[in-house]
Amino acid sequence: MLMNRPVLLLAALMLAAAPLAAQNPLAVETYRLPNGLTVYLNEDRSRPEIFGAVAVNAGGKNDPADATGIAHYLEHMLFKGTEALGTTDFALERPHLDSITALYDQLGQTSDPEARQAIQAQINEQSTKAAAFSLGNEFDNLLQFIGSKGVNAFTSSDMTFYHNSFPPNQIRRWLDIYAHRFQKPVFRTFQSELEVVYEEKNISMDNFGTTIFETFGKHFYKQHPYGQQTILGTVEHLKNPSLRKMYEFFNTYYVPGNMALILTGDFSPAEVKPLIEATFGQLPPGEAPPFPEYPEAPFSGREEVNIRVAPVKIGVLGYRAVPSGHPDEPALDLCNYLLFNEAETGFLNRLVLDNQLTFAGGFPQAEKDHGASVFFYVTKLVGQSLPKAEKLVLAEIGKLREGAFTEAQLEAAKSEIIRSFEQQLENLTERGIAIGEAFVMGQRWEDVLAYPAQIQALTKAQVVAAAQRYYGDDFLAIHAGRGLPKKTKLDKPGFKPVLPAEGAESGYARRFKALPEQSYEPRYVNPETDFARLPIASGASLAVTPNPLNGLFSLEVRFEAGERLIPALEAAVPLIGYAGAGDSSQLALKSAFQRLGCSYSVGASREYLTVSLSGIESNLEPALQLLGLLLRDPRASEDQLETVVNDAIAGRKLEEREPDARGRALQEYMLYGPESSYLRRYGAKELKALEPSALLAAFREALGYESQTYYAGKLPAAEVQALLRRHLPYPAAPKQHDAPQVRPVQSYTAPQVLLIDDKDAIQSQIYFYVQGDAYTPAQQAAVDAFNTYFGGGFSGLMLQEVREYRALAYSAGGAYRTPLRPGHPGYLSAYVGCQSDKTLEALEVVSGLIRALPEKRERMDLIRNSLIQEVYSNRPEFRDMAQTWDAWMLKGFTEDPNRSKYQAYQSMQFDDLLGFWRSQIQGRPLVITVLGDARRFDKAALAAYGQVVELELDDIIKK
């Protein structure tokens, strides 16, 4: 999903007053190759990793009107290889691929069902013949070979973005394969991938939010493809795809003048430039045609659209705003922040804090061609209509137009906007996406860096003028009442699996592996030098990690008491989010933090209460004073508790309509039985009986336990220690509790199938579980190898057998899960989300993989090299350094586990991972959960997989 423009461009604070320099982590060198390709180089040596990407200035809006979904589908197909990659013999494969192209043209011109079925059978026959020369996921295999992580792509309305991270010593190979993927690509396994896209469409149709916002887009953008087309495309167009049009789309838009290469991370620009020229410089030059203009007329007053699709009443308001890069964009960003923000100080936030609405929020859509400001709200569950709720929202927008905010609030908003951006850009991936979006929006990186200064220079008068100009009486209102959306169910086509050749490799793969590799040494975590340990008080210790990037700190205090020990924390923690402190109301408290450029949060897990604080480090002490006040003297009212209760009940109503949420609840029931978090939580009646005083007492009780504090920043450790002692109320005699405890998983003596017949679900949510023996750290290298083989991305058995070969699901995966502490059992967990009519076939394939693991020994070199290479970049980010170390120690390690695993990987053989499967998985009871529409599969056939236990939602979810 593409991030919003304001979030991406908000504060290159570090660069606002400094010249670009190689040592600055936000400095970007930009240039163009002779063929027109734009190159962005961002050197950042803080972590041993590189994020690489290619951005294409074309997305869903560029789809032909009669072939929507092409850009997104093409994104999928560009993982399938080229004339030299992904094939054993393209000359023999090509005639079958040409036949497939021609057959799809015939299919698109045929409406008779029997004739269509006959053509699809011919396509399947030709696909099966072509597969004899196809090498499946060779592209992904080669990326895995070099230790890549996060191999993926996404399509938005304006762009398509291909990306992954990889170790620094593999940059030559990464550049070679990423440049090669765009040279003479071949869209093989088209029929199978179409079924995968169907599944992605099914996921969207199971989500009522998709229906609401597609309806909004259609009525907001009455001319532009932003609203008149969807990125996934229509069901009708997906049923009649055209390979010919896809190649035309590629040849039109995938040209160097319309593309950008982005590298962020640990590399030398001087060394990498010749490699870029030798690889991406070989792409033939070309420019894309200009995109036509689609003007959108202003709304004529208030325009209303009514639909019934949601489990609760939801309203959406849309105002015409500005496209990305417009001079008014910074002022509108401030307007939107003053209306709604994460610090909960906005006009719309107050409606929720004051219990006038269940929820209210908003976000900007600054697209390349047009812009929108979108506000949405959820009515109170009882007695409030959508028109009444809308009036409340409009009244708050009116306050903004009237300038009912102070200069102090404006300055706090500016500070928070800038801080949020700087913190976000610490991450190489998010920084790389930000650079890619700047390219697509037609902005220089220097334009991005000027944004904070533009925000800072805005006056109250300018912000009010923007609100008056854009947030007037002309807008779109969507009223989504309670009801069920119409869903189009796509039937399983009944194709034969397309099984590609195995055990071979292309000529390109052999050349790729022969490319020289830079020498590189792993950077292991050293607790003596990477962070400092200090005591704070009895039972309270501190870990301080230096921040090498910016002037922002992060603080996390973990108290060893969670919801298992103090169940009331489930409601106490969200109540603290609404609470004031001492004589300060909740709004006054949140505003005080905001003025300091800081924010706080409180969270509870099963084992910990966690208090977090982050922000501008120069304001650490006053922020700690405020946090200390909250911890010592929180204040909450009955009204605030009512808001918490309403939030929880509304969330459960939404949960009832989300198949994936219900599927996870069924999985938790399988794993933990009565200890499932969905059953341990409060019911609605219990929530309504709670008292604020009892919840605040539970919160104070948790603060009385031993704790561990983690800090990341530039201040010396001793200074942080002194400030924490001075301002936070660490107990003098804390209670002891050995947290975290491992939640025991259930043991099964025989196979079972737990079934919930969900007639509203298009997709079936299927989980698999096999319990293993007690975990020891010595198992970890074999666990890693097994997980890479079984569920390691596109190269793992799960995605290959379920998605790539048989097109049974968009989402499939699996891994052996290890406990937080040694001595407790691990377990195999696998998942498939598929059309309900594919349920039995998916069960057959996945259960077969688990019970009789295929022995594809030729993959061992790939697995071994992948694991070795991943060690090079497998170093925690600085904000997680000490926490990661402590998790390793808790798990039974005595040093960075990458050190011992690196040695184990060197000599690992296929029999090692096979032996792990035999000892921990083979022959053990397989338990399966199925949540789906049983009308679309033979329920009796489930008995082949074990005793069938049919359940109702009330058995697994406390409402």
Side-chain angles (χ1 to χ4, degrees), residues 543-562:
V544 176
T545 305
N547 175 352
L549 294 178
N550 53 38
L552 302 179
F553 76 91
S554 57
L555 173 75
E556 179 183 302
V557 187
R558 289 184 187 171
F559 294 92
E560 295 188 353

Side-chain angles (χ1 to χ4, degrees), residues 707-728:
S707 63
Q708 173 64 55
T709 300
Y710 301 96
Y711 184 88
K714 291 187 178 295
L715 287 178
E719 189 173 339
V720 176
Q721 177 194 47
L723 289 171
L724 293 173
R725 284 174 170 172
R726 190 178 309 147
H727 297 297
L728 295 191

Side-chain angles (χ1 to χ4, degrees), residues 13 334 410-411 414-415 418 450-459:
L13 183 63
L334 265 172
L410 179 64
E411 292 305 312
K414 293 177 183 180
S415 176
I418 290 172
Y451 184 84
Q454 295 169 352
I455 285 284
Q456 195 60 51
L458 286 166
T459 65

